[in-house]
Amino acid sequence: MRKQDRSKLIARLRASQRLAQQHPTLYRIEVRLMMALGRAYLAGLVFLSFLTAFCIVPFLCYLVVSQKAVVPGAIGLAVVGLPLGGLFLSLIQMSRLDVPIPAGIILTQRDAPALFDEIESLCRRLRLPRIHRLLLSPELNAGVYVRPRLGVFGGCETYLQLGLPLMQAFAPEQCAAVLAHELGHVSGRINRLYRRVFLFTRKWEQLHENLEANGGTLLLSLFTRWYVPELRILTHAMNRSLEFEADRIAIESKGSEASAGVLVLSTALGHVLNSEFWPRMFARSFTAPCPPEDIYAEQGNFLQSPECRRLLPGWMRWAWRRQPSPFDSHPTLSERLKACGIDDCDAIRPSWFALPEATAARHYLGENEDELAAVLGSTWSRTVEAGWRANYHTATGHRALLEQLWKRKREGEELPWGELWQLAVLTEDLEGRRAAFPCYREALERDRENVRANFAFGRLLLEENDERGTPYLEYAMEADPFLVEDACMAICAFLYRQHRFEEARPYEEHAAAFSAEHIEALNERENVDASDTYLPHCLEEKELAELQARLGDIQDLAGAWLARKELEFLPERPLFVLVLRPGTLKGWDAEVLQSVARLLDFEHDLIVVLPRGAQRKLCRKIMRTDGTKLFDLNEDHP
């Protein structure tokens, strides 16, 4: 998104929020008018279709048959038939949305009788419609999903999704508060307009996603491309209010203690899993050829471990300092807790982080917990298996390179700085951070001002609970503002482990006060698509040769193209996009791409993409740009 477009969008979102706060009646009228426009468009399509089918077409047929006006009648039928076909096709697309069922295991009364009893009790209390499906998902999350039966014309199925990790971490009363919050989105006790807007916007968003993914008639696509973004902007403030309403319903149903504890615990647990559990898990792909199938049993044990619980208070404080974004559909943790009467993170009760006497998983699922965890684990294993194996084979190839580098070093050869850095990175990936420590230290001693070396060395020291790493990270984030959040997070994680929460406050606030320009620059670099402008890479010959050599070590690679994205924020820090064309796309998932990007050890910001799915158009654009091709085996060897 371009800078001007983004600024306009932010201004419109804030204007919508101001209107909702200062003139709520006028805001609701505007929302109702926008919804009426969508309904009027539907009614217009239906009216035109029936008018054409039952009035105009019979009249033209009458001209052909009775008045012998064959040529004019045939021309009229041809002229009318094409729009009529488009109208009917539009109506079919609007009534048949290909919306997939949310991921997870469909639970029955036999699987979790206590859980169904709890949901039925909440449904009666909250005046809820029927919940058509209850799904057990592998995520630390819960949600209500609306799946249209007749597209945007009405009728829908309601799916309630509940994450197994969430049940493994929460006490039964906390899990019940989560259910009350999620069911509150479609409750009869919530503001009727909020509920209607929630269902209405979901249907139109699903229609828009279907049309963008599968194509559709021009008549319908043009309208939804304008209407759905406008609807999102206008209802953005109402969606945020809906979260507060759902929190209020949860508090009324299960009490403020359980509801506030859920908000705190779920946010902190997400940070701990992403910073501790999942990095360790995927690091196994360097040494183990197959992913584990008991992943969710392991995750459940981790969530119940003292190690995990000790880290929660610190990560809660990190989440509390997070500043709201104008694009967030959900309020921040601090905003939601303040609505619950908690005005400062120091007022949060330590008991919320304590291990529950019995988990919600054991209480609601009983003996079926282990079996359901095994099914989810087996599904996860099959999903990541191809990428895991590709990562393992890539690591096997890099292990040979690592042995060569270590052999040269042991023989007394002084490695160039670039190869020394590569040795450090590969050693950390394949043998652990302690084995890599001497290499990072030597790299830093040979180039004291190198930002990457300072950041890596400081990070390793803090991970070993050595606070001498803090000055190195402070130097790195001062030299490179893009490292502010990562460096502050690493310092805070160390201080959280030491329970030195007050010392972490300056770094929490520094990360939260990240300048607006840097936030804009990060947002500009998060995504790339075909609408962006791409330039030749213009790398120096030495840097280009090193990149091509490392690409040559990747198996089953048929071509590579490198382009530089045209940036508006901080253009002095370039962003490169690398297009890889494997011999076969099978097994190349997101984890493999991240591993490739890390092992290439490219000095600049880099995004790796493949010519498939939504990225196909982007890749074609880069591949056709002059000065981007690194190599193409199909062209070099016809």
Side-chain angles (χ1 to χ4, degrees):
M1 184 182 294
R2 300 185 68 82
K3 180 179 179 180
Q4 292 181 340
D5 297 336
R6 185 181 179 84
S7 300
K8 288 179 181 177
L9 178 57
I10 292 174
R12 293 189 62 192
L13 288 171
R14 288 176 175 163
S16 174
Q17 291 174 2
R18 284 196 302 270
L19 181 64
Q21 294 170 358
Q22 299 172 7
H23 306 284
T25 303
L26 184 61
Y27 173 72
R28 290 173 183 173
I29 291 173
E30 192 170 341
V31 170
R32 286 190 173 99
L33 289 174
M34 179 62 79
M35 294 170 65
L37 175 62
R39 294 190 179 105
Y41 185 79
L42 296 181
L45 287 180
V46 174
F47 175 76
L48 286 175
S49 300
F50 280 93
L51 177 67
T52 305
F54 295 105
C55 296
I56 299 177
V57 171
F59 175 72
L60 293 174
C61 292
Y62 169 77
L63 289 179
V64 173
V65 176
S66 300
Q67 304 299 320
K68 308 300 183 184
V70 177
V71 175
I75 294 174
L77 283 173
V79 171
V80 172
L82 290 175
L84 178 62
L87 285 171
F88 274 111
L89 184 57
S90 298
L91 293 176
I92 292 171
Q93 288 179 329
M94 297 174 82
S95 63
R96 296 182 63 186
L97 296 182
D98 184 20
V99 180
I101 296 176
I105 301 172
I106 297 178
L107 295 179
T108 63
Q109 181 84 30
R110 182 182 299 176
D111 297 323
L115 183 57
F116 273 83
D117 291 343
E118 181 68 42
I119 292 172
E120 288 177 8
S121 173
L122 286 170
C123 287
R124 286 194 301 270
R125 191 180 308 168
L126 302 178
R127 301 198 302 273
L128 280 169
R130 179 189 169 207
I131 301 298
H132 295 86
R133 293 284 187 276
L134 175 60
L135 301 168
L136 185 68
S137 76
E139 283 128 23
L140 183 76
N141 200 0
V144 168
Y145 297 88
V146 176
R147 192 167 182 264
R149 288 175 174 170
L150 298 174
V152 294
F153 291 107
C156 59
E157 293 180 338
T158 305
Y159 289 77
L160 175 60
Q161 192 179 52
L162 189 60
L164 177 62
L166 184 145
M167 299 179 72
Q168 292 172 327
F170 286 3
E173 59 272 16
Q174 293 173 324
C175 185
V178 172
L179 292 172
H181 171 88
E182 296 303 334
L183 294 174
H185 287 292
V186 290
S187 167
R189 289 175 55 185
I190 207 164
N191 185 298
R192 184 176 297 178
L193 178 60
Y194 285 1
R195 184 166 178 260
R196 288 178 178 174
V197 168
F198 176 79
L199 298 174
F200 185 85
T201 54
R202 293 301 180 273
K203 291 177 182 179
W204 277 95
E205 285 172 348
Q206 288 164 349
L207 173 64
H208 179 57
E209 290 170 5
N210 257 30
L211 294 174
E212 291 298 308
N214 306 320
T217 60
L218 186 64
L219 188 66
L220 192 56
S221 296
L222 290 177
F223 179 75
T224 56
R225 284 174 188 168
W226 170 82
Y227 181 72
V228 172
E230 292 294 321
L231 183 66
R232 284 173 177 162
I233 292 170
L234 184 60
T235 60
H236 180 74
M238 192 168 287
N239 288 333
R240 289 174 58 85
S241 299
L242 182 61
E243 290 301 321
F244 289 117
E245 285 288 308
D247 286 342
R248 178 184 59 80
I249 288 176
I251 291 172
E252 291 177 0
S253 301
K254 296 299 175 182
S256 59
E257 179 84 10
S259 301
V262 160
L263 293 176
V264 170
L265 198 54
S266 59
T267 304
L269 283 170
H271 282 289
V272 172
L273 285 177
N274 291 332
S275 63
E276 300 290 335
F277 179 78
W278 287 113
R280 297 179 195 172
M281 179 57 60
F282 283 108
R284 294 190 200 174
S285 65
F286 295 122
T287 56
C290 298
E293 292 194 355
D294 60 345
I295 175 70
Y296 293 106
E298 288 190 44
Q299 189 179 66
N301 292 333
F302 175 79
L303 291 171
Q304 291 299 311
S305 67
E307 174 195 2
C308 173
R309 298 288 161 161
R310 280 197 302 268
L311 296 172
L312 293 179
W315 286 113
M316 176 278 300
R317 298 172 66 91
W318 177 271
W320 180 279
R321 306 289 178 198
R322 179 177 171 268
Q323 296 297 308
S325 165
F327 301 104
D328 288 340
S329 61
H330 284 57
T332 61
L333 175 65
S334 59
E335 290 174 321
R336 295 175 73 176
L337 288 178
K338 286 176 183 177
C340 296
I342 300 174
D343 296 324
D344 189 85
C345 61
D346 293 329
I348 291 175
R349 300 179 184 178
S351 60
W352 290 346
F353 304 112
L355 287 168
E357 294 181 2
T359 66
R362 186 58 62 183
H363 176 76
Y364 288 123
L365 302 178
E367 296 179 356
N368 292 324
E369 178 191 354
D370 296 335
E371 182 180 350
L372 293 169
V375 173
L376 287 175
S378 179
T379 303
W380 177 86
S381 180
R382 289 194 301 271
T383 302
V384 304
E385 183 176 12
W388 186 287
R389 288 183 180 276
N391 214 18
Y392 175 76
H393 290 308
T394 301
T396 301
H398 284 98
R399 197 176 295 279
L401 174 61
L402 179 64
E403 291 175 359
Q404 293 176 7
L405 291 172
W406 272 115
K407 181 180 178 181
R408 290 166 56 191
K409 185 172 178 56
R410 291 190 188 100
E411 291 174 351
E413 180 180 347
E414 183 175 345
L415 299 177
W417 195 93
E419 290 187 346
L420 177 61
W421 180 258
Q422 190 177 20
L423 175 65
V425 172
L426 291 175
T427 301
E428 182 181 7
D429 284 340
L430 300 176
E431 298 180 5
R433 60 174 180 258
R434 291 187 178 179
F437 191 83
C439 300
Y440 282 120
R441 181 170 53 197
E442 183 181 347
L444 181 61
E445 289 173 350
R446 288 169 57 178
D447 189 353
R448 289 284 181 182
E449 297 182 356
N450 188 280
V451 175
R452 290 190 296 168
N454 275 275
F455 181 84
F457 189 67
R459 172 180 58 81
L460 258 63
L461 284 172
L462 292 182
E463 287 176 355
E464 292 295 321
N465 293 320
D466 186 341
E467 63 182 334
R468 290 179 299 172
T470 301
Y472 295 102
L473 291 181
E474 289 176 341
Y475 174 85
M477 62 180 166
E478 183 178 354
D480 185 353
F482 281 87
L483 294 176
V484 166
E485 186 170 12
D486 290 337
C488 287
M489 187 177 291
I491 295 171
C492 287
F494 161 74
L495 294 173
Y496 295 158
R497 291 194 296 271
Q498 309 291 322
H499 285 255
R500 294 155 60 181
F501 299 126
E502 284 303 316
E503 294 179 50
R505 185 186 293 268
Y507 298 103
E508 295 167 353
E509 294 175 348
H510 184 38
F514 205 38
S515 72
E517 183 180 16
H518 293 142
I519 292 175
E520 295 285 359
L522 287 172
N523 289 330
E524 188 180 27
R525 288 160 170 78
E526 277 184 357
N527 297 299
V528 292
D529 56 45
S531 64
D532 297 320
T533 301
Y534 297 95
L535 308 171
H537 54 73
C538 298
L539 292 179
E540 296 181 359
E541 290 186 7
K542 180 181 178 181
E543 196 172 14
L544 180 60
E546 290 178 355
L547 177 61
Q548 289 175 324
R550 290 172 186 166
L551 287 170
D553 295 333
I554 299 176
Q555 298 178 357
D556 193 35
L557 194 60
W561 292 257
L562 183 69
R564 181 166 45 90
K565 180 179 176 179
E566 187 176 56
L567 301 171
E568 297 189 27
F569 296 98
L570 301 180
E572 63 273 13
R573 166 133 181 189
L575 171 67
F576 291 86
V577 183
L578 177 64
V579 178
L580 298 181
R581 188 170 66 191
T584 174
L585 290 173
K586 185 178 180 180
W588 285 74
D589 56 11
E591 286 79 14
V592 174
L593 293 183
Q594 291 175 6
S595 175
V596 167
R598 184 176 64 255
L599 294 173
L600 286 175
D601 189 32
F602 195 55
E603 184 177 353
H604 309 284
D605 294 335
L606 180 69
I607 294 178
V608 183
V609 295
L610 299 177
R612 67 180 177 193
Q615 302 286 9
R616 189 176 288 112
K617 188 175 180 181
L618 160 68
C619 293
R620 282 201 299 264
K621 182 174 183 178
I622 291 177
M623 292 162 72
R624 292 170 182 169
T625 302
D626 294 335
T628 62
K629 186 175 76 169
L630 301 180
F631 68 89
D632 182 3
L633 298 182
N634 293 340
E635 184 177 299
D636 298 340
H637 303 284

